[in-house]
Amino acid sequence: KIAGMVAEEFWHQGDLEKAELAAPVVPMMDRELRHELPRLQVGFCDGVCLPVYRALACLSPALQPMEEAVMFNREKWAELGENNREAEEEPGTRVTRNL
């Protein structure tokens, strides 16, 4: 539920950037790519979150649970992305999500 609210906020920001600035937006803020949200979230975890939390865990072992939480979250997004991909591949199905 929280991820859906954050995604909606990002998409709203992307809508504003397109309308007001006529500028390209980053994929995570592009409402037209909402069907790719799980893949984008995995990329965000891999490219931003995990390096930060790994570094923090190296500084203080007490922060290790934060890294583990990111890994758990990443795996859930990857699973959701895989489930969506399988549903898209089935003939006659239409994938819809309620985040």
Side-chain angles (χ1 to χ4, degrees), residues 24-39:
V25 296
V26 297
M28 192 173 276
M29 293 188 172
D30 190 344
R31 186 181 302 276
E32 294 174 22
L33 298 177
R34 65 186 169 272
H35 61 284
E36 294 185 33
L37 183 61
R39 181 187 62 80

Side-chain angles (χ1 to χ4, degrees), residues 47-96:
V48 177
C49 299
L50 282 172
V52 169
Y53 288 111
R54 283 185 179 135
L56 290 173
C58 286
L59 292 173
S60 172
L63 299 175
Q64 182 69 35
M66 293 172 68
E67 179 186 352
E68 293 168 0
V70 172
M71 286 298 301
F72 178 80
N73 192 24
R74 184 209 180 279
E75 293 307 313
K76 290 297 181 183
W77 280 111
E79 183 180 307
L80 182 60
E82 184 60 34
N83 290 343
N84 286 347
R85 188 170 24 260
E86 288 172 3
E88 287 173 348
E89 292 172 358
E90 293 178 19
T93 61
R94 181 173 176 200
V95 178
T96 58

